[in-house]
Amino acid sequence: MKSRIKSALSRAKYAAVGAALGAAVGGLINRNAASTGGALGGLAGATIADLRSDPDGVFAEFRSGSDDEGDEADDAGATIELADE
């Protein structure tokens, strides 16, 4: 339940930022374009949030968790050799 709420809030945050940016850009043109820009920006922000939350999505290669070099570095120090007594 916590992960569903967290993903919904993340999607809402991206949608709000997209709507604000779209409205600001549209507001430079006229009032109607500000409204349309806000709607399109909100849709784009929600879409980006969905793509970003997908583990195999477009932005998977930019995440720190998918770093192959970091995994090898962590495994390098994991081997401990014990001396025979």
Side-chain angles (χ1 to χ4, degrees), residues 19-39:
L21 290 175
V25 170
L28 295 174
I29 299 170
N30 65 23
R31 195 176 308 170
N32 290 334
S35 175
T36 303

Side-chain angles (χ1 to χ4, degrees), residues 5-6 9-13 16-17 21 24 26 29 34 40 42-43 54 60 62 64 69 71 73 80 82 84:
I5 292 172
K6 188 175 180 180
L9 288 176
S10 174
R11 191 179 313 121
K13 178 179 68 171
V17 169
L21 290 175
I29 299 170
L40 292 176
L43 180 63
D54 185 22
F62 297 114
S64 61
E69 296 167 3
D71 292 339
I80 299 173
L82 299 175
D84 291 332

Side-chain angles (χ1 to χ4, degrees), residues 47-64 66:
T47 303
I48 288 173
D50 281 342
L51 289 175
R52 190 170 186 270
S53 67
D54 185 22
D56 297 328
V58 177
F59 301 109
E61 61 192 38
F62 297 114
R63 293 196 180 133
S64 61
S66 66

